[in-house]
Amino acid sequence: IIVKIPLNPDLLKEISNESKNNFDTFLNGMSRKYNIIILDYTSSYSNFYFYDGHHLNANGKKTFSRNLGLEVIRIIGEV
């Protein structure tokens, strides 16, 4: 499983579409080649969940960890 971590919306705006597309193209190719699941949390959280431009605050860490854990459990249950 590859996890694309949450990014602060303000930071996400600063990343060019070309860079985002290149990264996604690379990951999608790896996913197809090696049958890897990609979980994309890149734009799943608002500024409320960040304490700065890069790091989740306590509520963000708790929420992300819970959501990621539940998703991994769901995926493992399907295997």
Side-chain angles (χ1 to χ4, degrees):
I1 297 174
I2 295 174
V3 178
K4 292 176 64 179
I5 61 172
L7 294 178
N8 183 302
D10 294 332
L11 175 64
L12 195 55
K13 290 179 204 171
E14 299 298 319
I15 301 171
S16 73
N17 286 333
E18 180 181 8
S19 292
K20 288 185 253 186
N21 290 338
N22 288 341
F23 186 62
D24 288 341
T25 298
F26 170 76
L27 287 182
N28 290 334
M30 297 298 287
S31 174
R32 283 189 301 277
K33 183 174 182 177
Y34 297 105
N35 196 29
I36 298 171
I37 296 168
I38 298 173
L39 301 178
D40 186 358
Y41 292 93
T42 306
S43 58
S44 297
Y45 296 90
S46 69
N47 284 331
F48 172 79
Y49 292 97
F50 291 85
Y51 78 85
D52 67 12
H54 299 279
H55 301 96
L56 293 167
N57 59 28
N59 190 37
K61 288 185 250 184
K62 181 179 175 181
T63 302
F64 173 61
S65 295
R66 182 181 59 243
N67 291 342
L68 177 59
L70 290 171
E71 185 66 11
V72 169
I73 289 168
R74 184 190 67 75
I75 291 166
I76 291 172
E78 292 177 357
V79 175

